[in-house]
Amino acid sequence: MKEYAVSQLRNVALVSHGGAGKTTLAEALLFGSGATKRLGNVDEGTSILDYDPEEIRRKVSISASVALAEWKGHKINLLDTPGYFDFVGEVKGTLRVADGAVITVCAASGVEVGTEKSWSFCQEYDVPKMIFINKMDRENANFYKTLDALRELYGTNIIPLQLPMGQAENFTGLVDLVRMKAYKLEAGKAVECEIPAEMADEVDSYREMLMDAAAVTDDELAMKYLEGEPLSQTEIEQAIGVGTQTGDLVPVLLGSAKQQMGVDFLLDYMVACLPSPDSSEVQGTDESGELVSIDPSDESPLCAFVYKTISDPYVGKLTMFRVYSGVFKSDSHVFNINQQVDERVGQVFLIQGKEQIPVSQVGPGDLAAVSKLQSTVTGDTLGTKDSLVKLPPISYPAPQASMAIVPKAKGDEEKIGTGLTRLMEEDPTLHVDKNVETGQTIISGMGDLHLEITTSRLKAKFGTEVELSVPKVPYRETIRGKVQVEGKHKKQSGGRGQFGHVWIELEPLDAEENFEFVDKIFGGAVPRQYIPAVEKGIRETMVEGVVAGYPVVNIRATLYDGSYHSVDSSEMAFKIAASMAFKKGFMEANPVLLEPIMNVEITVPESYMGDIIGDMNKRRGRILGMEPQDGLEIIKAQAPQSEMFRYGVELRSMTQGRGSFTMDFDHYEEVPAQIAEQVVADSKKEKETA
């Protein structure tokens, strides 16, 4: 493939609500540009961008994919992203390396939650954007209703560059307001035609809106326009390009990706309006932590950023990166600045869906991949030892759903651990933790679909089948009362017997301390050598629990009396006697269950506040406070962990996907009696069936 100057490159992310037709649009762009010889179809499983077996089976994008198109002397790297909330990490990783974005909106469904999220992500990463209103041929398609909704939400800088000729089943073509020409769809191609007479007033009105918007971007253009001189097509395109790149304008185009209508124009405007990689300043930090600018030229030291990792048990790890400066060469060495290790580089590839195109090198602004880097992970910066400039990492959202993972076959634990480690390299929004108290492996992600697909990939890639279950709550046990109790272990069955006898006082301890053992033996009632065995017996019983099998905490045990036998006493006998005393005394000292209480921070639009607060009260939660932030409300609360395992999924349902939350452990509190009874009953039932 021909090499392109940085000014001739466009890195464009396609983002949208799920089902708006991003992948179909990407396939249409590739076919329309001649990059592919046949039009890929998501429903038929022939898409070159949705090539993962899970994507083919489910007919939805699960991970971001890349393909390149050449158009009128430019190279466009198309980054197709998933639209479903569970895979938001893929969207964020992609926007981190994109220079522009096309927000795809369904003409029938209009502005959806995913549209709003796509917009906010573009704002977060300061990525210039265009809007493509897709599916104009679909039943109930309404361009003007969708346009009005966009302008109402995001302001009058949303400017249409095209108007539809007919809508839904009557959609036949479009009028381009920049060129002032009409195009009719014939045999999949746009053929120039006369602007329909009945659209003349409408075209004039929207053309004037476009002229006003274009003139605002440049003082000289504004003077020319105000003096009544006509603006040329080139001047308008340049003005729209400037306005798009500064964020003052958001151009709106339309069409039907399925029918290939509007695709050529979208390619034209991508080249004309969206920025090249050298159009904005990129900064990193040097060794001293100072901000430094990165010069996007071939002569500069190498600086590349890893935005995605694909793990395969057979092929190995594929590292996908963007070059910000310098040249990334095959058969060379690069220095991983985050990990402080040297990496051996083999063959460098350009990526076309799942196809890898070998190249000798890639220059600044371009996207490429390399396989089998040993230590490099997503978010790392690759450079040279002479220029240790580190780029900022990708900001991923906190997990919203957690489940316990249970192997279907015994002995698969090691394979599962290896597989999950590989999948976490591939997906930074996936987290795996071992809960020491419950002994469960907890997998956390962005939602149910995310976790379900992770288990499917475990089976497909690593040959291990697992089941997901609601995690156990790490309850704890303690006492509220004070008691003195005797423990005597006496056994005689021929030969040497066993004898251990203790008196122990149990009482609650301050919550900051889990356990205190006090020795108050006087006069040798219990010999010195057996006292450690008494403490050990108590500690081992505390781990196993007394009421429901959960660890005992916040307790003081005082050994104050006992007796021994000169022949039959032993460490084991005193250990058993102490355990017996502890169990008996614990049940007499007003035992209670404790549950973990979590700090919860919920971010939602203000209109959902009442629902969220009401729901939190049902979960035995306490609202601690509320504060506005960036047009949203942040609710701070505390709630029992047992009530929060499904919260991410239910919050999404309550807020139509607009809400998010973070959660972390704060403290333990006593479980209400009625709930404690059920927990104890469930624990006993589990032990009986084990």
Side-chain angles (χ1 to χ4, degrees):
M1 171 169 281
K2 144 184 190 187
E3 289 188 19
Y4 288 85
V6 66
S7 60
Q8 297 171 305
L9 295 174
R10 300 290 185 273
N11 295 315
V12 183
L14 303 180
V15 293
S16 81
H17 187 88
K22 284 182 311 302
T23 304
T24 302
L25 177 60
E27 295 288 345
L29 292 166
L30 293 170
F31 181 70
S33 67
T36 55
K37 301 302 178 192
R38 56 174 294 187
L39 183 62
N41 188 300
V42 173
D43 292 332
E44 293 171 7
T46 58
S47 165
I48 76 160
L49 292 160
D50 281 359
Y51 55 84
D52 185 282
E54 282 293 319
E55 292 178 315
I56 294 169
R57 182 168 74 86
R58 296 172 184 271
K59 296 182 172 56
V60 297
S61 298
I62 289 169
S63 60
S65 51
V66 189
L68 51 94
E70 294 173 289
W71 187 254
K72 297 184 178 178
H74 291 75
K75 177 183 171 187
I76 303 172
N77 288 313
L78 292 169
L79 296 132
D80 180 39
T81 66
Y84 289 91
F85 306 130
D86 290 50
F87 312 108
V88 66
E90 296 283 332
V91 181
K92 288 205 151 197
T94 298
L95 285 171
R96 177 67 176 72
V97 294
D99 298 301
V102 174
I103 300 175
T104 310
V105 182
C106 173
S109 305
V111 177
E112 299 173 272
V113 180
T115 314
E116 297 172 24
K117 285 188 173 291
S118 297
W119 181 281
S120 66
F121 292 151
C122 289
Q123 296 289 91
E124 180 185 342
Y125 285 95
D126 198 22
V127 175
K129 48 205 167 291
M130 302 168 65
I131 293 170
F132 185 78
I133 298 179
N134 191 25
K135 302 189 179 183
M136 282 300 306
D137 56 334
R138 185 176 163 185
E139 188 180 352
N140 298 321
N142 192 320
F143 173 82
Y144 297 100
K145 184 179 176 183
T146 303
L147 178 66
D148 288 346
L150 286 164
R151 286 171 66 87
E152 187 178 333
L153 262 178
Y154 303 118
T156 53
N157 63 337
I158 306 279
I159 302 295
L161 304 189
Q162 298 166 339
L163 298 178
M165 289 160 52
Q167 300 193 85
E169 62 273 9
N170 299 318
F171 176 63
T172 57
L174 58 82
V175 176
D176 189 289
L177 299 170
V178 178
R179 296 174 171 88
M180 281 303 284
K181 291 178 181 177
Y183 298 88
K184 199 168 186 176
L185 183 68
E186 288 183 6
K189 292 187 177 180
V191 178
E192 190 177 329
C193 63
E194 291 292 321
I195 296 173
E198 65 273 16
M199 289 184 67
D201 291 345
E202 190 176 50
V203 167
D204 288 343
S205 173
Y206 279 96
R207 168 78 174 183
E208 190 174 335
M209 180 194 293
L210 174 60
M211 293 293 106
D212 288 344
V216 169
T217 64
D218 183 271
D219 290 343
E220 288 184 21
L221 218 58
M223 289 299 297
K224 186 177 177 181
Y225 177 61
L226 289 170
E227 288 168 6
E229 289 186 53
L231 305 182
S232 69
Q233 180 182 325
T234 303
E235 286 174 327
I236 296 168
E237 284 180 355
Q238 287 175 347
I240 295 167
V242 170
T244 304
Q245 291 174 38
T246 58
D248 294 331
L249 295 181
V250 180
V252 179
L253 294 95
L254 63 91
S256 165
K258 211 165 190 177
Q259 288 195 48
Q260 285 281 289
M261 186 61 193
V263 170
D264 290 4
F265 304 114
L266 180 56
L267 286 164
D268 284 344
Y269 287 116
M270 278 182 182
V271 167
C273 300
L274 293 178
S276 58
D278 60 348
S279 62
S280 60
E281 185 183 30
V282 175
Q283 291 187 320
T285 51
D286 61 17
E287 291 175 273
S288 63
E290 293 292 317
L291 283 175
V292 291
S293 294
I294 295 164
D295 178 25
S297 72
D298 294 6
E299 290 77 28
S300 299
L302 175 67
C303 183
F305 182 79
V306 177
Y307 69 94
K308 184 174 172 64
T309 303
I310 299 174
S311 292
D312 189 286
Y314 307 108
V315 179
K317 190 164 68 173
L318 188 68
T319 299
M320 302 173 73
F321 59 88
R322 170 175 161 169
V323 180
Y324 280 87
S325 68
V327 177
F328 201 112
K329 297 180 179 179
S330 292
D331 301 316
S332 63
H333 284 264
V334 296
F335 189 70
N336 185 316
I337 295 165
N338 297 72
Q339 314 295 339
Q340 290 290 296
V341 294
D342 195 60
E343 291 273 31
R344 171 85 176 84
V345 174
Q347 180 64 57
V348 174
F349 303 99
L350 299 179
I351 300 295
Q352 187 79 333
K354 66 178 177 181
E355 184 188 348
Q356 299 172 5
I357 305 166
V359 290
S360 59
Q361 64 179 46
V362 286
D366 216 345
L367 305 179
V370 64
S371 63
K372 299 178 181 175
L373 296 186
Q374 297 301 309
S375 305
T376 300
V377 295
T378 301
D380 284 351
T381 302
L382 303 175
T384 67
K385 290 181 181 177
D386 301 328
S387 177
L388 300 174
V389 177
K390 190 191 299 182
L391 292 164
I394 300 164
S395 169
Y396 290 106
Q400 302 289 293
S402 296
M403 296 291 278
I405 201 161
V406 183
K408 280 191 178 179
K410 286 186 177 179
D412 270 2
E413 287 81 4
E414 191 174 334
K415 281 170 72 178
I416 291 167
T418 303
L420 288 173
T421 301
R422 292 280 188 85
L423 291 176
M424 280 194 292
E425 286 179 356
E426 191 170 320
D427 182 359
T429 60
L430 187 68
H431 296 254
V432 178
D433 297 294
K434 181 79 172 178
N435 189 310
V436 179
E437 289 189 32
T438 64
Q440 291 183 310
T441 298
I442 307 298
I443 181 171
S444 303
M446 301 312 299
D448 284 354
L449 182 60
H450 186 197
L451 300 183
E452 184 189 325
I453 285 173
T454 298
T455 61
S456 298
R457 284 180 162 173
L458 264 180
K459 181 181 177 182
K461 289 188 173 186
F462 304 97
T464 59
E465 288 194 69
V466 298
E467 291 178 341
L468 297 176
S469 63
V470 176
K472 294 177 184 175
V473 179
Y475 292 106
R476 291 181 180 173
E477 302 176 10
T478 193
I479 56 173
R480 291 290 182 243
K482 185 175 180 179
V483 69
Q484 293 181 334
V485 66
E486 179 187 28
K488 183 182 283 188
H489 176 62
K490 184 177 180 181
K491 193 173 182 184
Q492 192 73 43
S493 57
R496 182 177 173 181
Q498 294 180 35
F499 183 86
H501 176 218
V502 294
W503 278 93
I504 294 172
E505 181 179 79
L506 301 178
E507 60 186 317
L509 191 62
D510 187 275
E512 291 182 8
E513 297 182 61
N514 271 343
F515 177 61
E516 182 184 345
F517 179 74
V518 181
D519 171 15
K520 282 192 176 179
I521 291 295
F522 293 100
V526 176
R528 294 280 111 201
Q529 67 267 30
Y530 298 140
I531 290 174
V534 173
E535 182 177 353
K536 190 175 182 184
I538 294 172
R539 284 188 179 275
E540 287 180 1
T541 308
M542 286 177 67
V543 171
E544 296 168 1
V546 180
V547 176
Y550 295 103
V552 174
V553 295
N554 311 136
I555 201 163
R556 177 186 287 124
T558 303
L559 173 64
Y560 66 92
D561 202 358
S563 63
Y564 71 100
H565 189 280
S566 58
V567 175
D568 292 346
S569 286
S570 65
E571 287 188 5
M572 180 56 71
F574 272 96
K575 185 177 164 184
I576 294 169
S579 176
M580 290 167 63
F582 186 84
K583 287 178 180 177
K584 182 185 175 188
F586 193 89
M587 296 305 292
E588 294 174 1
N590 188 15
V592 293
L593 274 184
L594 302 176
E595 63 182 340
I597 303 296
M598 314 301 283
N599 280 327
V600 188
E601 199 167 278
I602 310 156
T603 304
V604 291
E606 188 180 354
S607 56
Y608 297 101
M609 291 274 286
D611 292 342
I612 299 303
I613 292 169
D615 177 74
M616 188 54 63
N617 289 333
K618 288 177 189 173
R619 295 174 189 273
R620 299 189 285 127
R622 294 189 296 269
I623 304 299
L624 303 180
M626 291 166 276
E627 58 183 62
Q629 187 182 85
D630 300 328
L632 299 169
E633 288 288 336
I634 295 177
I635 303 169
K636 294 184 178 179
Q638 286 187 338
Q641 186 186 45
S642 60
E643 304 282 352
M644 298 299 291
F645 285 125
R646 303 284 303 159
Y647 189 65
V649 176
E650 288 159 16
L651 175 65
R652 186 181 293 175
S653 174
M654 281 188 288
T655 63
Q656 298 179 303
R658 293 178 173 88
S660 63
F661 82 106
T662 58
M663 182 171 74
D664 55 68
F665 170 76
D666 188 69
H667 66 282
Y668 271 85
E669 270 183 23
E670 188 174 329
V671 180
Q674 190 176 351
I675 295 171
E677 285 174 17
Q678 186 61 50
V679 172
V680 173
D682 290 344
S683 177
K684 286 179 180 175
K685 189 176 178 182
E686 188 179 329
K687 284 178 183 176
E688 288 168 5
T689 56

